[in-house]
Amino acid sequence: MAPSGSGSIKRSCQRVLYWIPVVFITIIVAWSYYAYVVQLCIESVENIGEKIVCLLAYHLFFFMFTWAYWQTIFTKPMNPLKEFHLSYADKELLEREDRGESQQEILRRIAKDLPIYTRTMSGAIRYCDRCQLVKPDRCHHCSVCDKCILKMDHHCPWVNNCVGFSNYKFFMLFLLYSLMYCLFIAATDLQYFIKFWTNGLPDTQAKFHIMFLFFAASMFSVSLSSLFGYHCWLVGKNRSTLEAFRAPAFRHGADKNGFSLGFSKNFRQVFGDEKKYWPLPIFSSQGDGCSFPTCLVNQDPEQPSTPAGYNPSTKSAGETHQFPAKPLRESQSRLLNSGQSWSEAEGADDKDKRGTSNPAMTIENET
């Protein structure tokens, strides 16, 4: 009983510690609200018109920032569907077999009817020993959450949550509105910050709030702008942070642009088709998080031609919009000449021959 009790206490302490960065951000934001609204606008700004405009604009940025931050923190990450979990019989069968060709055949049989195109770097089916499931494309196991997260981007300590398919749009809006929040404060506080150094302000406590408010807003603006710019680049390339560091592997090898469909479609995968929802922290991302269209030429002959369950629609136009499952990318046109892909013009016998060749697969855990 002692080890179990000590383990429970340790986990409870860890959960409390994980909230420290969120509490820190909350305290900074609460102080900035007091410093800007009370000390700057109410106490220092004398022009009534300027005071009203600043307060209205500030509260708009503050509301959108808080809303996006809340959604990023409290939106639970999505986990793989039950179809990707091993059945009780498959679990027992996998545990009984030695780690060899027999296990490879079991995983191959389970993954055959699943919309999976990625592999491990060694060409194996991506399998999670802890969650006992076949990993969907772009899914990774988070060591902090101790579960597999769909389209995992990273685990962010500042939101105490995994950023993935369910809340990546919220995370992007959180970065956007926090950057706008800081830039607005720095821009409107600048003239009073200058007055502080030229002794243009009365010697009150407001002077120190105005000075530190400008420094804090400026510093956060620099760090947020670089982080937001980086994630804008990731959205444009349709990559996650993990995929930017390690390109996803397909049957033909690693391909950092394997999921990129062009900027417009990449953007809409995250923000959706309806423009009215783009600036709002409301879920509107396309797909189910378990399957994604790719731009690969040589598709897996063991898998369906289009990912199952992926059927994004254009609601604003009132018509169904299906992403092409395997559009040809210019950078991969060389694959047609290297014999690694098949085309409709080839005979059925050639297709069957290619369909029988499979890489050796082993159980390989990824984190």
Side-chain angles (χ1 to χ4, degrees):
M1 296 298 294
S4 177
S6 60
S8 177
I9 294 174
K10 181 180 178 180
R11 288 192 295 270
S12 299
C13 292
Q14 286 178 338
R15 283 195 292 266
V16 172
L17 291 176
Y18 289 153
W19 282 103
I20 290 179
V22 177
V23 173
F24 173 75
I25 294 295
T26 303
I27 292 174
I28 293 294
V29 173
W31 166 78
S32 69
Y33 184 92
Y34 168 78
Y36 190 89
V37 173
V38 178
Q39 297 295 334
L40 179 62
C41 291
I42 296 178
E43 299 293 338
S44 302
V45 177
E46 297 179 353
N47 186 284
I48 301 298
E50 179 184 355
K51 184 179 298 188
I52 293 175
V53 170
C54 287
L55 286 174
L56 289 176
Y58 172 83
H59 281 92
L60 175 63
F61 289 124
F62 179 81
F63 174 76
M64 296 304 296
F65 158 73
T66 306
W67 186 10
Y69 192 42
W70 178 276
Q71 288 285 73
T72 307
I73 294 173
F74 294 105
T75 299
K76 293 183 178 180
M78 289 180 63
N79 310 121
L81 301 175
K82 63 179 182 179
E83 287 80 1
F84 293 87
H85 290 260
L86 268 64
S87 64
Y88 181 77
D90 288 330
K91 291 177 185 177
E92 283 195 331
L93 186 60
L94 196 66
E95 290 174 357
R96 285 201 303 266
E97 299 292 345
D98 295 331
R99 290 184 177 273
E101 184 62 28
S102 56
Q103 285 190 332
Q104 298 171 20
E105 289 297 330
I106 295 172
L107 290 177
R108 203 147 113 205
R109 173 181 56 80
I110 296 171
K112 184 177 181 181
D113 298 325
L114 297 175
I116 296 173
Y117 296 97
T118 55
R119 299 288 188 267
T120 65
M121 297 305 294
S122 63
I125 294 293
R126 300 174 63 243
Y127 175 76
C128 180
D129 247 342
R130 294 185 66 86
C131 299
Q132 295 185 313
L133 56 83
V134 175
K135 292 182 182 179
D137 291 344
R138 316 183 80 175
C139 173
H140 296 274
H141 186 90
C142 176
S143 58
V144 179
C145 299
D146 196 24
K147 61 181 67 175
C148 285
I149 308 298
L150 293 181
K151 196 187 175 184
M152 179 178 173
D153 188 88
H154 67 289
H155 186 93
C156 181
W158 299 108
V159 300
N160 190 28
N161 200 3
C162 251
V163 178
F165 176 76
S166 62
N167 63 349
Y168 188 68
K169 177 192 174 183
F170 306 150
F171 178 74
M172 286 293 296
L173 292 178
F174 158 63
L175 294 179
L176 172 63
Y177 289 126
S178 59
L179 176 59
M180 295 175 65
Y181 177 78
C182 292
L183 289 175
F184 174 79
I185 290 178
T188 53
D189 187 40
L190 177 59
Q191 59 175 316
Y192 298 95
F193 176 77
I194 295 175
K195 289 181 179 180
F196 172 84
W197 294 104
T198 58
N199 296 322
L201 288 178
D203 191 13
T204 62
Q205 65 173 353
K207 293 177 61 175
F208 298 98
H209 284 287
I210 290 171
M211 181 184 69
F212 289 115
L213 186 64
F214 179 80
F215 275 128
S218 300
M219 288 187 296
F220 277 108
S221 296
V222 173
S223 58
L224 286 169
S225 59
S226 59
L227 184 59
F228 179 66
Y230 175 68
H231 278 277
C232 286
W233 178 80
L234 290 178
V235 170
K237 296 292 185 179
N238 203 347
R239 300 178 198 169
S240 66
T241 300
L242 293 177
E243 291 167 350
F245 283 97
R246 185 174 63 181
F250 298 85
R251 284 176 56 84
H252 72 279
D255 189 338
K256 62 182 180 181
N257 294 317
F259 293 106
S260 181
L261 304 174
F263 178 80
S264 178
K265 290 177 181 177
N266 294 343
F267 178 86
R268 289 173 183 269
Q269 273 196 20
V270 176
F271 288 88
D273 287 322
E274 296 197 41
K275 296 180 180 179
K276 63 182 179 181
Y277 294 127
W278 289 357
L280 301 178
I282 298 174
F283 184 82
S284 59
S285 301
Q286 294 179 340
D288 57 6
C290 289
S291 57
F292 301 88
T294 71
C295 62
L296 302 179
V297 177
N298 55 326
Q299 53 182 303
D300 191 337
E302 293 186 352
Q303 303 298 340
S305 60
T306 56
Y310 190 86
N311 186 25
S313 59
T314 306
K315 300 177 183 178
S316 58
E319 59 184 8
T320 301
H321 174 77
Q322 193 81 24
F323 279 126
K326 305 290 177 185
L328 175 63
R329 192 174 71 240
E330 293 180 1
S331 63
Q332 289 189 323
S333 60
R334 55 183 172 80
L335 294 175
L336 293 177
N337 299 324
S338 63
Q340 294 180 348
S341 62
W342 57 271
S343 63
E344 294 181 357
E346 294 179 319
D349 294 339
D350 292 333
K351 295 178 185 177
D352 294 336
K353 291 178 183 178
R354 286 184 176 86
T356 57
S357 61
N358 290 289
M361 291 182 289
T362 58
I363 296 180
E364 182 173 326
N365 296 320
E366 294 181 343
T367 55

